[in-house]
Amino acid sequence: MTIVILVGASVLYALGMRTAARRGSPWPRSRAVAFYALGLGSYALVELGFLGTWSSELRWAFVARIALLLLAVPGLIALGRPLDLLRVCLSPAARQRVDAVLDGRVFRVLGNAMFATLFAAAVFCVFLTPLAGVLRTSPVLGEAIGVVTLGAGLVLVVPMMALTGIHTSTFLAIEFLLAFVELVIDSIPGILLRLNDTIVDGVTTLTPGAAWWPNPLHDQHLAGDLLWFIAEVADVPILIILLVRWHRRDRREAASFDELTDEEHDALVQAHLRGVRAADG
């Protein structure tokens, strides 16, 4: 399944770049390098490397794999701006339909940094239940959960990076403040996993492996440490995206003020002063 996804995504992106070049909008090489090397490269490293190979036997490998597929890999894929490439390749009518969908309520929620953090925390809470053991030890579910996790991460990250200029300054300020609160929220599952001295996924048998493999409890503690670390580090890009949103929104508002005539500017100032006087009175 991983090979199919890698080949399919590579071909589609290459076709998109060729279409963009034919339409007179050559796609930047830096974005292509980011997509292939960082995005697909990180996905291949996680799924075909140590984490993907041993995630069914080691809790910490499973937890790190899912956390990276949800939080890190989608962000690296989004650096290639696949959604922007799609918009370039579409006809004007199709592009308007895509923009209408992105401007809709569903993607406004999905593109919200608060929702992304709370969603990640909810996913991580699964590691505190016996369901984690079922997902980890089942070959079919273990393969499927990787694809589903990557898809969920892309649905969260790609709209978040695309909707950098939609929200008002007041909403962005509130979102930015709450993002700091969520730095603590999404670390809670990792902390609980680290401090718990009971095997929470119900798999207490030790899988034969290398001599350095940890026992089930130590394995769980290592998983909690990694989950805590990855969750905290992954919040940094979200804060950066919020800063980009804020900067673009501020620049847009400044440009709108520059376009005002002297009469419109004076009227706006007088309206503001009247509001101040009314509040003081």
Side-chain angles (χ1 to χ4, degrees):
M1 180 64 72
T2 301
I3 300 298
V4 172
I5 293 176
L6 287 171
V7 173
S10 299
V11 171
L12 289 175
Y13 198 86
L15 292 175
M17 289 192 298
R18 187 176 68 175
T19 302
R22 288 179 175 177
R23 295 189 174 184
S25 303
W27 195 245
R29 292 184 179 180
S30 59
R31 293 183 179 179
V33 171
F35 180 81
Y36 284 108
L38 298 179
L40 297 186
S42 64
Y43 176 62
L45 183 62
V46 170
E47 288 291 79
L48 302 178
F50 182 91
L51 298 180
T53 302
W54 299 107
S55 65
S56 60
E57 284 79 17
L58 295 171
R59 288 174 181 81
W60 69 263
F62 177 72
V63 167
R65 173 190 169 216
I66 298 303
L68 290 174
L69 288 177
L70 181 65
L71 299 178
V73 175
L76 295 174
I77 291 176
L79 291 176
R81 308 304 288 250
L83 187 59
D84 290 346
L85 179 59
L86 174 64
R87 294 180 71 256
V88 171
C89 297
L90 294 175
S91 63
R95 192 180 305 122
Q96 289 181 356
R97 288 194 293 269
V98 170
D99 291 340
V101 172
L102 291 176
D103 290 340
R105 182 175 300 176
V106 173
F107 277 93
R108 282 178 179 269
V109 173
L110 294 177
N112 188 298
M114 293 180 288
F115 176 84
T117 306
L118 293 175
F119 179 83
V123 171
F124 294 157
C125 285
V126 174
F127 297 135
L128 301 172
T129 69
L131 179 59
V134 176
L135 295 174
R136 179 170 64 87
T137 56
S138 171
V140 176
L141 293 178
E143 183 77 15
I145 194 64
V147 177
V148 173
T149 303
L150 177 64
L154 289 173
V155 169
L156 294 175
V157 172
V158 172
M160 190 185 302
M161 296 187 69
L163 305 178
T164 53
I166 288 179
H167 301 307
T168 63
S169 297
T170 303
F171 183 89
L172 285 174
I174 296 174
E175 189 178 23
F176 198 90
L177 291 174
L178 291 178
F180 282 98
V181 177
E182 290 156 4
L183 287 172
V184 179
I185 294 176
D186 59 6
S187 65
I188 292 177
I191 295 174
L192 294 177
L193 201 61
R194 177 63 178 86
L195 298 179
N196 202 318
D197 289 331
T198 303
I199 306 300
V200 295
D201 65 4
V203 183
T204 58
T205 56
L206 179 62
T207 304
W212 54 266
W213 279 19
N215 61 57
L217 183 58
H218 185 44
D219 188 12
Q220 177 176 288
H221 289 167
L222 289 175
D225 292 336
L226 283 172
L227 183 60
W228 188 358
F229 174 76
I230 295 173
E232 292 300 311
V233 172
D235 283 326
V236 176
I238 292 179
L239 294 176
I240 294 175
I241 291 173
L242 289 177
L243 285 173
V244 172
R245 281 182 175 177
W246 205 335
H247 173 71
R248 292 187 177 182
R249 183 64 188 183
D250 184 69
R251 186 171 57 185
R252 180 175 298 182
E253 289 180 350
S256 65
F257 284 127
D258 291 340
E259 294 174 355
L260 295 176
T261 64
D262 292 339
E263 293 77 12
E264 291 173 336
H265 186 272
D266 291 339
L268 187 62
V269 171
Q270 293 299 325
H272 174 71
L273 292 176
R274 285 193 297 270
V276 173
R277 293 192 191 99
D280 293 339

